[in-house]
Amino acid sequence: MKIIMATFEILQDEGFAKATTKKIAAKAGVNEVTIFRNFKNKNNLVETTKDYYRQVLIQKLNDIFNFAGDETIEEYLKISFFGVLNLSEEDISVIRVAMEEVREDPEKKVLVSDITDVILNKLEEFFKLKIEQGTIREVNPKSLAIMCFGMLFQSVILWKIYNHDLEFETNYYADDLLNIMFEGLNPKD
């Protein structure tokens, strides 16, 4: 496990191209031969590391976006927003590494796709249920899921990844987003 953790730290700090088995071995406190004995090569080690952290993050996202079905839309979206907002630095780093990987090699989108698919599928499932319950009008649940994904997930992730300080209170931001979503942009009569 210490090799996996060391690999992830090196990937975060230096990216795939600069991550060497020598640096990883030094960080993990093991001999470089141990890495080759267990993983055969750097690519296998990196893939094993990404798989491990992807599974951990996917489980957390499943937990964040899970629902019982009796929540109001406002409650569910607000809980989800704060769940994403409260992801650990390690979780944000997994997303950062995934984004960096796509930037370095656009063909490698597996990690980013898995992350977005989990969230979009959960949101779509929630909105389908709310349509069936008659809580919201008949709309395309996938479109609604994509809209909420952009508002709730991407905005928080971009803040955290690019280390921008939030210049406003997060409760206010969440309430404002939900208000715009439910009340629309047209002025009240």
Side-chain angles (χ1 to χ4, degrees):
M1 189 62 188
K2 64 183 175 181
I3 295 172
I4 300 287
M5 292 171 71
T7 303
F8 186 68
E9 286 182 40
I10 298 288
L11 287 172
Q12 286 179 72
D13 295 341
E14 302 187 29
F16 178 79
K18 293 181 182 176
T20 65
T21 53
K22 187 174 190 165
K23 288 178 186 176
I24 293 166
K27 183 90 166 167
V30 299
N31 189 306
E32 192 175 11
V33 173
T34 304
I35 290 176
F36 289 109
R37 192 176 321 121
N38 289 302
F39 299 98
K40 306 293 182 234
N41 59 48
K42 175 183 154 182
N43 286 338
N44 287 343
L45 172 58
V46 169
E47 290 306 313
T48 301
T49 300
K50 288 188 320 190
D51 284 345
Y52 171 78
Y53 282 96
R54 181 182 75 234
Q55 288 177 14
V56 169
L57 179 60
I58 295 295
Q59 184 56 53
K60 286 181 182 181
L61 291 172
N62 267 315
D63 292 345
I64 288 169
F65 287 90
N66 241 349
F67 56 90
D70 58 348
E71 307 91 334
T72 66
I73 296 169
E74 293 92 340
E75 289 169 337
Y76 176 69
L77 292 176
K78 201 166 188 179
I79 289 167
S80 299
F81 172 79
F82 282 102
V84 172
L85 188 65
N86 292 320
L87 283 171
S88 72
E89 268 310 306
E90 184 176 270
D91 297 326
I92 297 302
S93 291
V94 172
I95 296 166
R96 185 180 292 116
V97 167
M99 290 172 69
E100 189 66 29
E101 179 182 56
V102 171
R103 195 168 63 90
E104 288 178 9
D105 184 357
E107 296 298 313
K108 292 189 173 188
K109 321 178 209 197
V110 174
L111 185 53
V112 170
S113 293
D114 286 351
I115 292 167
T116 56
D117 286 350
V118 165
I119 297 168
L120 287 172
N121 290 339
K122 284 289 190 184
L123 287 167
E124 184 177 3
E125 187 181 326
F126 177 77
F127 290 126
K128 281 180 182 176
L129 177 65
K130 291 303 172 183
I131 290 167
E132 289 170 11
Q133 292 175 341
T135 308
I136 57 175
R137 68 182 174 88
E138 190 78 27
V139 294
N140 182 338
K142 186 172 230 40
S143 296
L144 194 51
I146 290 168
M147 181 184 77
C148 290
F149 173 81
M151 287 188 333
L152 299 176
F153 183 75
Q154 287 182 315
S155 59
V156 172
I157 294 307
L158 289 175
W159 287 328
K160 287 194 165 219
I161 287 183
Y162 296 110
N163 296 318
H164 291 303
D165 288 330
L166 300 178
E167 296 178 9
F168 47 82
E169 208 266 311
T170 53
N171 257 332
Y172 174 76
Y173 178 77
D175 289 340
D176 208 24
L177 282 178
L178 293 172
N179 178 275
I180 292 167
M181 182 176 161
F182 291 108
E183 301 297 325
L185 297 174
N186 294 326
K188 298 216 183 234
D189 294 332

